[in-house]
Amino acid sequence: MEQILQVFFNAAILERAWPFLMRGVTMTALLSLVVVPIGLASGLAVAMLYHLHRKWLSRFLIAYVDFFRAFPPLVLLLFIYGGLPFLGIDLPLFATVTLAFLLNTSSYYGEIYRAGIESVGQGQWDAAHSTGLKGHQTLAYVVLPQAVRNVLPDLVSNTVEVVKLTSIASVVALPELLYTADMARSVTFNSSPIVLAAAIYLVMLWPVVRLISRLERRIAA
């Protein structure tokens, strides 16, 4: 038991690693605060473009969504990180990671929004049109609010996945939470920093998971 405590819960190492991990938490939070809002907005744009009913555009959007949902995010990150410099595009590391995550998350958010829009009955569209609203006004003022309410648990759940997704940025040495924890582990030759990082992720995300459960029950009621 004492050996387990020394390897995974070493108080002295945890105290020394704490400041470094807090810097990682800051980077994780910053990355999430950039990726989530832009991902939500771009996903909404994808979903709304579906409803322009342009055949060529719909085919392009289907290909875009299917491709980035099927493409592993870690492979996508490594592809952009290693491939763009060969094209003469030298982005800062933070921008590279953000681009990879946005391509992935916008496709998921787009499908969630699209499912929400399609969950609103045709009667809502007809009723709005009967009051004189045009198509885009009906979508923005009548359909979209109901659609977002219908898929709100899915949107929040996907946002949790996005925050967890930030951990793979460690493979390209972006100093987020997992990367700083792994660096602390390599210096101390002890797994306690990794355990601390896991605990921080749990503290950050567990309240959101409980919120999702409450939203699902409320919508079901």
Side-chain angles (χ1 to χ4, degrees):
M1 184 63 180
E2 182 178 351
Q3 185 177 4
I4 293 176
L5 292 175
Q6 285 297 317
V7 173
F8 297 104
F9 304 97
N10 190 303
I13 291 177
L14 290 175
E15 184 178 357
R16 289 164 54 195
W18 178 259
F20 297 100
L21 265 65
M22 285 300 98
R23 296 175 192 171
V25 169
T26 301
M27 179 59 72
T28 294
L30 179 61
L31 188 58
S32 300
L33 288 173
V34 172
V35 172
V36 170
I38 300 178
L40 284 166
S42 56
L44 179 59
V46 168
M48 295 182 73
L49 286 173
Y50 270 115
H51 290 271
L52 292 180
H53 302 296
R54 304 289 170 81
K55 193 172 183 180
W56 66 269
L57 181 58
S58 295
R59 288 179 176 176
F60 171 79
L61 292 172
I62 290 172
Y64 171 86
V65 169
D66 286 352
F67 178 82
F68 286 112
R69 289 178 70 194
F71 209 81
L74 177 57
V75 178
L76 177 62
L77 174 59
L78 292 174
F79 181 78
I80 293 176
Y81 175 76
L84 289 184
F86 285 101
L87 299 176
I89 304 173
D90 191 13
L91 295 177
L93 181 57
F94 186 87
T96 299
V97 173
T98 300
L99 175 61
F101 288 169
L102 283 175
L103 291 173
N104 177 265
T105 57
S106 63
S107 61
Y108 281 95
Y109 280 128
E111 279 298 282
I112 292 172
Y113 279 123
R114 187 160 76 103
I117 292 172
E118 291 177 354
S119 71
V120 179
Q122 184 61 38
Q124 296 290 322
W125 291 86
D126 296 338
H129 289 156
S130 69
T131 64
L133 292 178
K134 297 181 179 179
H136 67 278
Q137 294 173 319
T138 299
L139 180 61
Y141 301 135
V142 177
V143 175
L144 195 57
Q146 297 180 67
V148 171
R149 184 193 63 187
N150 292 343
V151 296
L152 187 57
D154 296 315
L155 289 173
V156 178
S157 179
N158 195 67
T159 299
V160 171
E161 295 302 317
V162 172
V163 176
K164 291 191 289 185
L165 182 70
T166 60
S167 63
I168 71 172
S170 60
V171 301
V172 293
L174 185 74
E176 46 72 58
L177 177 55
L178 180 60
Y179 180 81
T180 54
D182 191 47
M183 290 299 99
R185 178 202 57 77
S186 65
V187 170
T188 60
F189 300 99
N190 189 282
S191 296
S192 298
I194 300 294
V195 175
L196 179 58
I200 293 172
Y201 277 118
L202 182 62
V203 170
M204 288 193 303
L205 297 177
W206 183 78
V208 184
V209 172
R210 296 309 309 157
L211 174 62
I212 295 170
S213 297
R214 293 185 62 182
L215 288 172
E216 289 174 341
R217 289 196 297 269
R218 182 172 296 182
I219 290 175

